[in-house]
Amino acid sequence: MTPTTPTTPTTSTPLLTDANGTVPTGGRRRFLTAGAVVVGAAASAQLWLPASARAAEPPLPEGVFSLGVASGDPLPDGVVLWTRLAPDPLHGGGMPDRTVTVHWEIAEDERLRTAVRRGATQARPEYGHSVHVDVRGLRAGRTYWYRFRAGGRLSPTGRTRTAPPRTASGGSLRIALASCQNWQHGWFTPYADMRAQDPDVVLFVGDYLYESSPSVTAPRRHEGTGEPYGLAQYRNRYAQYRGDPHLAAMHASAPFVVTFDDHEVDNDYAGGIPQDPDKQPHDAFAARLAAAYQAYYEHMPVRVSAVPNGPHIRMYRRLEFGRLARLNVLDTRQYRSDQATGQEGAKNPALTMLGAAQKRWLLDGLRSSPARWNLVASQIMMAETDLLVGEGKRWFYDAWDGYQAERNAFMREFKATRNPVVLTGDRHLTMVSDLKEDYDDPGSAVVGAEFVGTSISSNGDQDQSAFRKEWDPRIPDNPHWKLLDAHRGYHLFDVRRDGIDARVRVVDTVLKPKSAARTLATLRVDAGRPGVRVV
C-alpha cells in the first residue's frame, strides 16, 4: 500500500520587511558557539503564538525535541527544516497516537527576533512524528536560524544556509565530506572539528548507521537485542545515533545533503537482494527494505519527494550551487545488479550499478551542466583498487570495480565533462586518486579526481602499522593513488573557480568523546587540469 503524504500543506507568513521595505540581513559567522545552538529554549517557549493558540495546544512531555533539529538540500530560495518529536527516543518515541501541530519559524538573526518566514505543519504518527518543512521564499547565499514549537515546548535553535544565486559564477563553497559512523566503534568526535571549520554544507555519502547487533566489547553498545528488521527497531537505532552530541550539534550548524549506502539496511545488499538470501526470503527482505527506507526518510532532512513507496525510495537528485558547482547525488544500492563473483563477471556489460533511468539522468546532467565543477557523490569507490600485489588483478566486487563496463563508460564521459570530481565513502580509509580513462592502460588519460573520505568512526582507532604493512605493497600496482591513510576524520573542500583546495582532517582517537584534530594532508585540483596533486 502506498503511504500517504506525511505532512499536510505548510502554512506560512510572507517575508517580513523593515521600515524601508527590505528584508533584515545578518553577517555570516565563521562558527556557531555551543550556547547559540540552544539559545532561548527555556526563556522563549511562549514566543510568536497568540494566547488563544497557545491555550489550545495539548501539552507535550519534556524532551519532545530530544532528537534535535536539522536542515538539508539547500536551494537558492529555500531549504528543508527537520525535527522529530520523541520524548522517549529509544523506545518508539513516546508520542501519543495522534497528529500534532508543529509551528516553525526562520530568521536572519540568531536570536530570531525578526522572523522572515513562519508557519505550521503536522507531525503524524504514521511517520514517527517527523517533520519536513520545505521553506521557500528565502534569499540566496544567506545564513538563517530556525526553530520549532509544539505542545508548549520549544526546540533548540538551528542554523542553516541557502545556496548561492543560480547565476552566480564566483565566490567559494566549503563542503565537508563524511561517511561511515559506526556507534559501536567509537564516538563521533570528528564532527566537533568539522563544526569549527564552518562548512556551507555537509555531504554525507552513506552508512549513517549500522545494522549490526549489540556487542558487549564495543566502546559504545548498540541499543536493542539484535539487528533491526522492522520499522520500530530502525526508528530506535536512528534515535540512538541522533543522540550523539557531536552529530546533533553538526546537524544544528549546517545543512546536510545525504544519501545512503548498505548498512542503513543490510550489509552489501544489491537492489532487492540481501547479503544472505537463504536467511532472508524475498518477501521478508522487501518488508525490511520498506521499514529501513521509511525510518531513513523520517530521520533525514530531505524533501517529501523522498517519501518511500514500500521498498522503494527516490534519493538520487541534483543540487546547484550557482554556476560554481553542480552536485549529482547517486544511489548506488537500489538499482544495481547483484555483485559479480569473479573477474569475468565484473567485466559483464549487462551489470549495472545505477540502473538505466539513473544512468541516463547522470549522463544528461553531466552533458548539460553549466557549472564550473561537476561533482558526483558516489557511495562506493569509483577508481580501481587492485588488491593483488604483482602480476594479475583482484578487486572488491561490491565497488565500481565489480561493474567495470558501466564505470569505464563514465570514465569516457568524464573526458568530455568540465572538471569532474567524485566524492566517495565506504572504505573507512582516505584514498585519493586520479580517475583514468582505462585502468588496463597505465598510460591512458587522466579524466578526473576522486576523494574517498575516511570514516567518522568505523574501524575505530585503526592499527596504523598493520594498515601500512597490508596496503603499502599494493601502491606500485595502483599508480593512480595519490594518498592512502587509515585515520578517522573527514575531508574539507574549498571550491573556487580556479581550483579545489582539499584538506584531510583527522582526529587522534574516537575512543574518547573528545580529541585533538589536525590536517593530515592538503591536496589541490586545478580547474582545466584533470587529476589531483598533493600540495
Side-chain angles (χ1 to χ4, degrees):
M1 181 177 179
T2 303
T4 55
T5 303
T7 57
T8 58
T10 299
T11 59
S12 66
T13 57
L15 288 168
L16 301 178
T17 60
D18 61 20
N20 297 318
T22 59
V23 178
T25 60
R28 184 182 179 208
R29 297 177 61 184
R30 290 310 302 166
F31 64 92
L32 189 65
T33 64
V37 174
V38 295
V39 64
S44 305
Q46 301 300 317
L47 289 182
W48 90 72
L49 288 183
S52 58
R54 294 199 301 268
E57 279 190 310
L60 291 173
E62 292 185 8
V64 72
F65 291 105
S66 63
L67 301 183
V69 299
S71 66
D73 281 12
L75 303 174
D77 67 339
V79 70
V80 177
L81 306 182
W82 173 93
T83 192
R84 180 187 166 213
L85 309 181
D88 191 6
L90 298 185
H91 301 92
M95 284 292 292
D97 188 22
R98 60 177 173 84
T99 298
V100 175
T101 298
V102 179
H103 299 270
W104 57 270
E105 67 172 351
I106 187 168
E108 285 190 348
D109 67 288
E110 65 181 288
R111 294 190 178 274
L112 291 94
R113 290 190 178 96
T114 307
V116 295
R117 285 280 173 185
R118 56 168 58 126
T121 189
Q122 303 298 312
R124 296 167 55 174
E126 58 266 38
Y127 283 89
H129 290 97
S130 61
V131 171
H132 302 74
V133 181
D134 191 357
V135 183
R136 300 297 176 98
L138 302 178
R139 301 176 74 181
R142 293 300 179 104
T143 299
Y144 289 90
W145 285 262
Y146 62 94
R147 62 186 172 187
F148 301 90
R149 187 185 190 282
R153 307 295 181 183
L154 194 67
S155 76
T157 296
R159 188 186 69 163
T160 191
R161 189 168 177 83
T162 53
R166 296 187 186 280
T167 57
S169 58
S172 64
L173 175 69
R174 176 168 288 184
I175 301 173
L177 173 66
S179 66
C180 303
Q181 49 191 32
N182 192 322
W183 179 275
Q184 298 197 134
H185 289 181
W187 278 260
F188 301 163
T189 51
Y191 284 121
D193 179 71
M194 182 190 294
R195 187 162 164 258
Q197 304 300 323
D198 194 24
D200 294 301
V201 65
V202 178
L203 175 61
F204 194 95
V205 290
D207 295 343
Y208 190 94
L209 60 67
Y210 281 70
E211 84 290 11
S212 50
S213 298
S215 169
V216 296
T217 62
R220 299 197 292 182
R221 187 175 181 177
H222 274 151
E223 55 73 44
T225 58
E227 290 190 23
Y229 289 91
L231 178 57
Q233 294 171 307
Y234 277 108
R235 282 174 174 168
N236 290 343
R237 186 63 58 89
Y238 274 105
Q240 182 180 46
Y241 276 61
R242 280 285 192 167
D244 181 273
H246 295 304
L247 176 60
M250 192 65 245
H251 269 300
S253 297
F256 274 54
V257 174
V258 299
T259 187
F260 56 79
D261 194 18
D262 54 341
H263 288 289
E264 287 90 349
V265 181
D266 181 42
N267 182 50
D268 285 353
Y269 82 97
I273 304 170
Q275 182 184 34
D276 48 2
D278 294 339
K279 298 179 181 179
Q280 297 185 76
H282 174 76
D283 289 349
F285 189 63
R288 187 180 193 184
L289 284 169
Y293 289 158
Q294 179 170 332
Y296 184 84
Y297 168 78
E298 289 174 354
H299 291 84
M300 295 296 121
V302 293
R303 291 187 165 80
V304 294
S305 58
V307 173
N309 179 8
H312 307 286
I313 185 171
R314 172 65 183 267
M315 285 303 297
Y316 67 86
R317 60 204 188 281
R318 184 173 293 124
L319 294 166
E320 312 282 355
F321 295 89
R323 295 292 182 93
L324 181 64
R326 167 172 282 187
L327 175 60
N328 302 279
V329 182
L330 302 186
D331 175 350
T332 59
R333 284 290 157 195
Q334 204 173 173
Y335 310 103
R336 67 158 69 190
S337 308
D338 198 8
Q339 290 93 342
T341 57
Q343 291 193 8
E344 290 305 313
K347 298 178 181 179
N348 182 352
L351 294 189
T352 180
M353 177 72 79
L354 303 182
Q358 185 179 191
K359 182 179 179 179
R360 286 195 300 272
W361 167 86
L362 178 57
L363 289 173
D364 289 345
L366 294 174
R367 292 166 180 169
S368 65
S369 175
R372 181 75 163 181
W373 295 94
N374 286 283
L375 310 178
V376 177
S378 172
Q379 292 83 354
I380 43 82
M381 187 167 175
M382 190 170 281
E384 183 177 77
T385 299
D386 179 7
L387 297 168
L388 185 62
V389 177
E391 294 297 321
K393 292 189 177 186
R394 187 171 70 247
W395 303 300
F396 289 122
Y397 296 117
D398 187 62
W400 279 93
D401 280 336
Y403 302 78
Q404 292 191 18
E406 190 165 272
R407 189 267 310 278
N408 294 343
F410 279 118
M411 294 301 96
R412 292 190 291 272
E413 190 71 29
F414 279 3
K415 194 174 182 179
T417 299
R418 182 188 295 178
N419 298 318
V421 177
V422 180
L423 305 175
T424 306
D426 181 58
R427 283 287 167 86
H428 310 168
L429 305 173
T430 287
M431 301 183 78
V432 182
S433 305
D434 285 342
L435 292 173
K436 302 278 287 184
E437 183 178 13
D438 183 356
Y439 286 101
D440 288 331
D441 177 9
S444 68
V446 174
V447 297
E450 180 177 35
F451 292 82
V452 177
T454 185
S455 65
I456 291 293
S457 68
S458 300
N459 280 20
D461 288 351
Q462 200 158 342
D463 185 327
Q464 299 298 315
S465 61
F467 166 76
R468 302 255 61 116
K469 183 177 179 180
E470 177 186 1
W471 284 89
D472 283 357
R474 294 168 173 158
I475 293 176
D477 296 287
N478 296 273
H480 49 283
W481 292 352
K482 296 302 182 71
L483 182 66
L484 188 64
D485 184 77
H487 287 85
R488 305 285 71 83
Y490 66 99
H491 291 188
L492 192 68
F493 305 91
D494 286 306
V495 184
R496 302 180 182 87
R497 282 189 58 80
D498 65 336
I500 297 177
D501 291 306
R503 285 182 282 157
V504 178
R505 297 288 293 176
V506 300
V507 294
D508 294 337
T509 181
V510 293
L511 299 183
K512 298 178 182 179
K514 295 182 180 180
S515 174
R518 58 191 170 90
T519 294
L520 177 83
T522 302
L523 303 102
R524 170 83 177 181
V525 181
D526 292 304
R529 181 181 176 183
V532 58
R533 57 187 172 89
V534 178
V535 177

